[in-house]
Amino acid sequence: MLRDQVDMRVVGEAITGPEVFHILRRQQVDVLLLDLELPGMSGEEICKELPHSYPTVKPLILTMHQEKERISALIELGARGYLFKNTDKDELLEGIRAVMEGRIFLAEAVAEKLQKEEEPNEPSGYLPKITRRERQVLALIVEGLTNSEIASQLHISIKTVDSHRTNLLEKLSARNTA
């Protein structure tokens, strides 16, 4: 599905966890399409090791595992995206491109899975309460806009955008924007 893409190049395929690191030592890899079930080393273990050994590699999970806790744990470990194996080609390509651009990508089915597991009539324990304007700023951050571009689009000052960004980091208990 990837070989005919002019903006992508497959530089290797690994069957085992150790083979992943063999490829990473020999090739420049931007996005690592990663299954969680690899002999010799799990996808979780690979995600734990990447920031230390290969910090520029962006892992994109492609798996059959649909448990909310597992998805959240992998994002915490540094996975930049999460797709189910039944994803179609368009969504796979969209995910790879989003991750390559530095954005987090959750496939539509993943987002739906996370949303369905929340109690509809209960306050969400998954995300804290954020204001309407913070939601707008967050949506534009996810699109990859700079503070200046966000300020221009929302007709507010850059300082106000920075303030919203700081509030979001605090409310979401995030260490950085990514």
Side-chain angles (χ1 to χ4, degrees):
M1 290 195 323
L2 304 178
R3 293 200 192 280
D4 64 335
Q5 300 304 305
V6 296
D7 60 338
M8 296 177 199
R9 184 169 53 98
V10 176
V11 297
E13 296 179 31
I15 304 296
T16 69
E19 286 177 1
V20 169
F21 288 101
H22 178 74
I23 291 169
L24 292 175
R25 281 190 297 275
R26 301 182 74 193
Q27 296 287 331
Q28 169 66 37
V29 175
D30 298 312
V31 175
L32 173 63
L33 198 55
L34 182 62
D35 189 357
L36 296 179
E37 301 298 325
L38 295 173
M41 187 176 209
S42 73
E44 286 97 339
E45 292 171 310
I46 292 169
C47 275
K48 283 180 191 174
E49 181 59 34
L50 284 175
H52 307 291
S53 302
Y54 301 94
T56 61
V57 174
K58 301 170 186 84
L60 174 59
I61 306 300
L62 180 65
T63 186
M64 62 184 174
H65 295 286
Q66 300 186 14
E67 304 84 20
K68 176 182 166 182
E69 294 77 23
R70 197 167 207 183
I71 296 167
S72 297
L74 282 154
I75 299 296
E76 285 288 318
L77 286 173
R80 306 298 297 155
Y82 204 100
L83 298 157
F84 295 141
K85 284 191 175 180
N86 64 352
T87 194
D88 63 28
K89 180 178 179 177
D90 290 336
E91 189 168 52
L92 174 64
L93 295 173
E94 180 185 358
I96 292 169
R97 288 182 178 110
V99 168
M100 187 59 214
E101 292 170 2
R103 295 182 282 135
I104 299 271
F105 183 84
L106 297 178
E108 189 174 326
V110 174
E112 287 174 9
K113 177 80 173 160
L114 292 174
Q115 201 170 32
K116 282 181 184 174
E117 291 193 14
E118 293 292 338
E119 291 294 324
N121 296 324
E122 296 289 324
S124 171
Y126 191 65
L127 289 176
K129 183 103 173 133
I130 60 176
T131 67
R132 179 185 61 81
R133 181 62 91 182
E134 287 168 341
R135 253 190 305 275
Q136 291 173 325
V137 170
L138 182 58
L140 295 173
I141 290 170
V142 169
E143 288 181 25
L145 273 65
T146 66
N147 281 5
S148 177
E149 293 167 328
I150 293 169
S152 176
Q153 190 161 338
L154 297 179
H155 307 290
I156 57 178
S157 73
I158 295 173
K159 188 173 180 178
T160 301
V161 173
D162 191 48
S163 176
H164 287 307
R165 205 181 263 267
T166 300
N167 290 340
L168 284 165
L169 288 172
E170 184 176 321
K171 287 181 177 183
L172 300 173
S173 300
R175 289 176 294 193
N176 57 47
T177 302

